[in-house]
């Protein structure tokens, strides 16, 4: 469930107008609505949560947080006013604190027990600003500074205010006030040079310098594509470079710092297609050896620093030992690995100071190109897997799960080099798996009590005879009247509570009139119907403010089924009509039939519009709905036979305007044929 937080600049400088006649704040509001429409096309947007923060002081700057609905978000967005200072540092800190409000309670960060990529809450902060000077009560600032103090407990365990699954993107509006004569540059949108750009790069995001409405739409489409479930990791090379390839270009042979030596990129954490939740087994080790006697934990960096060695190693995988596989975001590192075209070798990865007696630590996985050479994957294995996997392989294949004394000694020596939190994480993982397998508690409902004594309808002799007459054979019914003794009736409205109609003082004062009307209706209703505790109209009674709340409706709707044929192109999600087709290049003729291709096809040779010197002729509208007050007279042509002449006469006399033609010929043809049939029968009878 990704979190999309919009940070809107509400400083006074956002009141400046563009050449389009709108202010920067109006452009920002329109950008948010456009982004939500683009995101709504993806079925994965059902679980999105939107938040809104502006540049006001806490807590007034939080317009829509964790508890506010989508309708509240849209209302607060429309009511934003640009009256204030450019306090972007304090507002960014407020946004990060809002995202990190529940992380310590949920245990996503898992401090001191390794970093689990599958424990994440992906969030994207989209800041929309004009890029002017940073102003505050103390004056004008040249650099962006985030306050260090925060009221959140546990924030001291992380050095930065953000986390590894939170990224910042900035849309810096540079739309001029006058129309530019120079053509717009083609290609990608360049980053901006405002103080927010370094902050975006640190979190794994980027900034966009927007000079026109077209560039703004391009940026919004790019941001929609960047909504991915994953975490950001710092990859840094350790040791010597790999030997160059024979056909490597001359530029690649240069020594020194290369772009692929240090990358700050995302790894995709794909959710399980069955449960929709990411599942993993092994963490990324901590950058320290945990000490049980230490009263506090050392603070960790937001993004783990993973070092990779360029020495070719053999990828190791054995049966019955799970591993985690994550795809790397395209970067100079992935491009360099793919260019080497070695899908059968790997580079081991380490975390410094993760071992007890080694500065570099032991390998916990490796980087490997896919077999098709289209991506690079990070394989996360058990800690020091080159030692553990051969031991487990011998235990399975050689010893047949009956370890010897020598094997036990080797395994105990390995356990001494493994961080202790690996054992705890595996036990916790097994406990969670056991909890998931349990049956969820049933929803509350109206309990049905068996009063006994009566014979069930299915046990009556005449019921069995009826079944025998329908099926032809004698059914063997073994029914137990106490079979549904603990049965509960499901409630259509979960907010409805069972009512016993015994104590009137249990009814709230505000519900007395509604309860009285329901009791009167149930008493005076003589139809065969059971007592109802809720009106049928109440199921469709929705406040006006909630009628357009389509996002909450998507969240409550059941998950759609997967496509039967994934190779077929997906139909775009359109509000109100999911079967809407693209009508570009299509026209509608007088008969309301869709005709593809240009409009000048199929003309008669004698058409006056094709004569030389003839101007364009306006297409005649055949629908009488657009010509009120005029009777419809069909075009008269020489009849071929008596039935056709009779049809024309009836068509002209029996139908009065307005005649609905927009639904095709069937709405007219079938009633006409019925009248023709009645007319013919009437003539035969009179003869």
């Amino acid at each position: 469930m990704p979190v999309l937080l919009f940070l809107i600049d509400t400083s006074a400088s956002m009141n400046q107008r563009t050449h389009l006649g709108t202010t920067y704040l109006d452009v920002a509001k329109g950008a948010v609505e456009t982004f939500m429409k683009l995101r709504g096309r993806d079925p994965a947007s059902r679980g999105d949560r939107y938040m809104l923060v502006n540049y006001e002081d806490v807590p007034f700057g939080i317009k829509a947080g964790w508890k506010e609905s989508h309708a509240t978000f849209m209302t607060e967005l429309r009511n934003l006013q640009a009256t204030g200072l450019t306090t972007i540092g304090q507002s960014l800190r407020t946004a990060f604190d809002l995202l990190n409000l529940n992380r310590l309670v949920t245990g996503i960060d898992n401090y001191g027990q390794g970093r689990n990529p599958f424990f994440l809450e992906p969030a994207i902060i989209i800041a929309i600003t004009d890029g002017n000077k940073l102003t505050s009560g103390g004056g004008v600032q040249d650099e962006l500074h985030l306050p260090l103090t925060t009221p959140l407990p546990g924030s001291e365990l992380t050095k930065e205010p953000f986390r590894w699954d939170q990224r910042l993107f900035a849309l810096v509006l540079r739309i001029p006030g006058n129309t530019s004569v120079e053509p717009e540059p083609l290609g990608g949108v360049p980053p901006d040079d405002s103080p927010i750009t370094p902050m975006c790069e640190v979190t794994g995001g980027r900034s966009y310098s927007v000079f026109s409405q077209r560039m703004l739409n391009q940026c919004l489409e790019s941001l929609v594509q960047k909504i991915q479930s994953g975490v950001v990791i710092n990859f840094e090379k350790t040791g010597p470079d790999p030997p160059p390839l024979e056909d490597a270009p001359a530029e690649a042979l240069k020594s020194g710092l290369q772009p692929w030596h240090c990358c700050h990129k995302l790894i995709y954490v794909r959710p399980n297609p069955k449960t929709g939740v990411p599942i993993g087994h092994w963490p990324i080790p901590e950058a320290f050896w945990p000490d049980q006697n230490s009263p506090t934990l050392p603070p960790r960096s937001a993004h783990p620093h993973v070092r990779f060695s360029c020495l070719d190693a053999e990828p190791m995988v054995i049966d019955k030992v799970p591993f985690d596989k994550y795809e790397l975001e395209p970067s100079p590192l992935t491009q360099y690995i793919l260019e080497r075209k070695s899908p059968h070798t790997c580079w081991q990865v380490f975390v410094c100071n993760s071992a007890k007696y080694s500065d570099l630590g032991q390998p916990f996985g490796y980087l490997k190109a896919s077999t098709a050479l289209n991506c690079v994957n990070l394989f996360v294995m058990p800690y020091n897997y080159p030692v553990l996997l051969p031991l487990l392989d011998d235990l399975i294949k050689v010893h047949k799960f009956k370890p010897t004394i020598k094997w036990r000694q080797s395994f105990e020596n390995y356990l001494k080099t493994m961080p202790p939190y690996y054992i705890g994480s595996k036990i916790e993982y097994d406990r969670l798996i056991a909890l998931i397998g349990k049956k969820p508690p049933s929803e509350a409902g109206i309990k049905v009590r068996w009063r006994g004594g009566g014979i069930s309808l299915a046990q009556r002799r005449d019921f069995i005879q009826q079944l025998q007459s329908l099926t032809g054979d004698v059914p063997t019914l073994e029914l137990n009247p106490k079979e549904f003794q603990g049965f509960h009736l499901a409630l259509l409205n979960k907010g409805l509570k069972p009512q016993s109609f015994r104590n009137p003082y249990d009814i709230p004062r505000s519900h007395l009139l509604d309860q009285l009307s329901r009791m009167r209706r149930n008493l005076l209703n003589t139809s065969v119907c059971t007592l109802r505790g809720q009106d049928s109209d109440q199921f469709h009674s929705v406040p006006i403010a909630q009628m357009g709340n389509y996002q909450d409706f998507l969240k409550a709707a059941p998950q759609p089924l997967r496509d039967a044929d994934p190779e077929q192109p997906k139909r775009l999600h359109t509000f109100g009509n999911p079967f809407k087709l693209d009508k570009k290049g299509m026209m509608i003729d007088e008969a309301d039939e869709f005709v593809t291709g240009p409009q000048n096809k199929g003309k008669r040779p004698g058409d006056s519009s094709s004569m030389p010197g003839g101007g364009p002729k306006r297409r005649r509208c055949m629908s009488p709905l657009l010509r009120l007050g005029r009777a419809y007279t069909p075009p008269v042509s020489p009849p071929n036979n008596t039935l056709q002449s009779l049809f024309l006469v009836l068509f002209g006399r029996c139908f009065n305007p307005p005649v609905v033609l927009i639904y095709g010929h069937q709405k007219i043809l079938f009633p006409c044929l019925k009248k023709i049939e009645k007319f013919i029968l009437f003539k035969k009878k009179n003869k």
Side-chain angles (χ1 to χ4, degrees), residues 492-562:
L492 294 178
N493 186 3
K494 296 182 180 180
L496 180 64
K497 297 181 179 180
Q499 299 175 357
S500 58
F501 300 102
R502 292 182 178 180
N503 191 355
Y505 295 99
D506 295 339
I507 305 174
R509 185 179 181 87
S510 59
H511 297 168
L512 282 176
L513 294 179
D514 296 338
Q515 184 67 31
L516 186 62
S517 62
R518 284 192 292 267
M519 294 173 63
R520 184 185 299 110
R521 186 182 301 107
N522 290 327
L523 179 63
L524 301 179
N525 190 10
T526 58
S527 61
V528 180
C529 181
T530 57
L531 295 179
R532 295 180 299 175
Q534 192 173 16
D535 301 338
S536 59
D537 294 339
Q538 286 182 317
F539 291 109
H540 309 284
S541 299
V542 181
I544 297 178
Q546 297 290 334
M547 287 184 178
N549 195 354
Y550 189 58
Q551 297 293 331
D552 289 349
F553 169 76
L554 285 179
K555 295 178 181 179
Q559 189 72 16
L561 300 177
R562 63 176 178 84

Side-chain angles (χ1 to χ4, degrees), residues 250-281:
E251 297 179 357
L253 299 177
K254 295 181 181 179
S255 61
L257 187 63
Q258 299 294 329
W260 62 273
H261 287 178
C262 185
C263 288
H264 190 69
K265 291 298 180 179
L266 190 79
I267 63 170
Y268 301 119
V269 183
R270 308 294 186 186
N272 189 2
K274 296 183 179 180
T275 60
V277 179
I279 296 179
H281 305 87

Side-chain angles (χ1 to χ4, degrees), residues 386-569:
V387 176
L388 175 63
L389 295 187
L391 288 174
L392 296 179
D393 194 26
D394 293 342
L395 177 65
I396 297 172
K397 297 181 179 179
V398 178
H399 304 294
K400 305 299 180 181
F401 294 98
K402 295 180 180 179
T404 60
I405 299 177
K406 184 178 179 181
W407 188 93
R408 290 180 181 273
Q409 292 177 353
S410 302
F411 188 72
E412 290 177 359
N413 293 332
Y414 162 76
L415 292 179
K416 294 178 181 178
T417 62
M418 185 184 67
Y421 50 79
Y422 269 82
I423 301 177
S425 62
K426 191 66 177 69
I427 295 175
E428 181 67 17
Y429 171 75
D430 295 337
R431 187 184 66 84
L432 291 177
I433 291 298
L435 289 178
I436 292 174
K438 291 184 178 180
K439 185 179 179 180
S442 59
E443 298 181 357
I446 301 177
K447 186 176 181 180
V448 178
R449 290 179 296 179
W450 178 71
R451 300 187 179 277
I455 302 177
S456 175
L457 179 63
Q459 291 179 316
R460 294 180 54 179
R461 182 177 303 173
D462 55 351
F463 180 73
I464 298 177
Q465 293 176 356
Q466 292 292 334
L467 287 180
Q468 183 179 2
S469 62
L470 293 176
T471 59
D473 53 353
V474 180
T476 57
L477 298 178
E478 297 180 359
L479 300 178
N480 185 8
K482 297 184 179 181
E483 182 178 0
F484 304 103
Q485 187 172 359
F487 185 72
H488 284 69
L489 286 179
L491 297 178
L492 294 178
N493 186 3
K494 296 182 180 180
L496 180 64
K497 297 181 179 180
Q499 299 175 357
S500 58
F501 300 102
R502 292 182 178 180
N503 191 355
Y505 295 99
D506 295 339
I507 305 174
R509 185 179 181 87
S510 59
H511 297 168
L512 282 176
L513 294 179
D514 296 338
Q515 184 67 31
L516 186 62
S517 62
R518 284 192 292 267
M519 294 173 63
R520 184 185 299 110
R521 186 182 301 107
N522 290 327
L523 179 63
L524 301 179
N525 190 10
T526 58
S527 61
V528 180
C529 181
T530 57
L531 295 179
R532 295 180 299 175
Q534 192 173 16
D535 301 338
S536 59
D537 294 339
Q538 286 182 317
F539 291 109
H540 309 284
S541 299
V542 181
I544 297 178
Q546 297 290 334
M547 287 184 178
N549 195 354
Y550 189 58
Q551 297 293 331
D552 289 349
F553 169 76
L554 285 179
K555 295 178 181 179
Q559 189 72 16
L561 300 177
R562 63 176 178 84
D563 296 333
D565 191 359
E567 297 181 357
Q568 293 292 332

Side-chain angles (χ1 to χ4, degrees), residues 50 64 109 211 229 278 293:
Y50 293 96
D109 294 321
F211 291 95
S229 177
N293 298 325

Side-chain angles (χ1 to χ4, degrees), residues 115-311:
R115 302 170 184 256
N116 296 313
F118 45 90
F119 287 168
L120 79 165
E121 194 174 61
I124 290 182
I125 301 177
I126 302 176
I128 306 179
T129 179
D130 56 356
N132 285 339
K133 292 291 184 180
L134 308 181
T135 58
S136 62
V140 181
Q141 302 174 358
D142 296 332
E143 297 180 355
L144 178 62
H145 297 284
L146 272 69
L148 299 178
T149 58
T150 176
L152 292 181
S155 59
E156 67 278 359
L157 297 176
T158 306
K159 298 178 182 178
E160 294 86 357
F162 52 87
R163 303 295 183 265
W164 65 341
D165 53 359
Q166 300 169 0
R167 292 179 293 166
L168 173 63
F169 295 90
L171 297 176
V172 184
L173 303 179
R174 303 290 186 182
I175 305 176
N178 299 325
T179 306
S180 178
V181 183
E182 300 179 357
E184 297 181 7
L186 300 178
V189 181
D192 198 77
D193 56 353
S194 58
I196 198 175
T197 300
M199 189 66 190
C200 296
E201 296 176 353
V202 167
T203 60
R206 58 157 299 184
S207 63
Y208 299 89
S209 188
V210 181
F211 291 95
S212 64
Q213 185 67 35
R214 183 193 65 84
M215 296 179 69
L216 179 60
N217 296 333
Q218 184 179 352
C219 296
L220 294 176
E221 292 178 358
S222 175
L223 286 176
V224 170
Q225 300 298 326
K226 292 185 180 298
I227 303 178
Q228 299 287 344
S229 177
V231 294
V232 180
I233 296 179
N234 283 325
F235 291 97
E236 187 176 351
K237 182 188 72 70
T238 180
D241 291 348
L245 300 176
E246 296 179 358
D247 55 348
E251 297 179 357
L253 299 177
K254 295 181 181 179
S255 61
L257 187 63
Q258 299 294 329
W260 62 273
H261 287 178
C262 185
C263 288
H264 190 69
K265 291 298 180 179
L266 190 79
I267 63 170
Y268 301 119
V269 183
R270 308 294 186 186
N272 189 2
K274 296 183 179 180
T275 60
V277 179
I279 296 179
H281 305 87
W282 308 107
I284 297 177
E286 298 280 0
F288 60 90
W289 184 267
D291 186 7
Q292 298 180 358
N293 298 325
S294 178
T296 59
L297 289 173
R300 63 160 63 152
S301 58
H303 302 146
H305 293 272
V306 175
R307 296 180 178 269
F308 60 91
S309 174
C310 298
L311 298 177

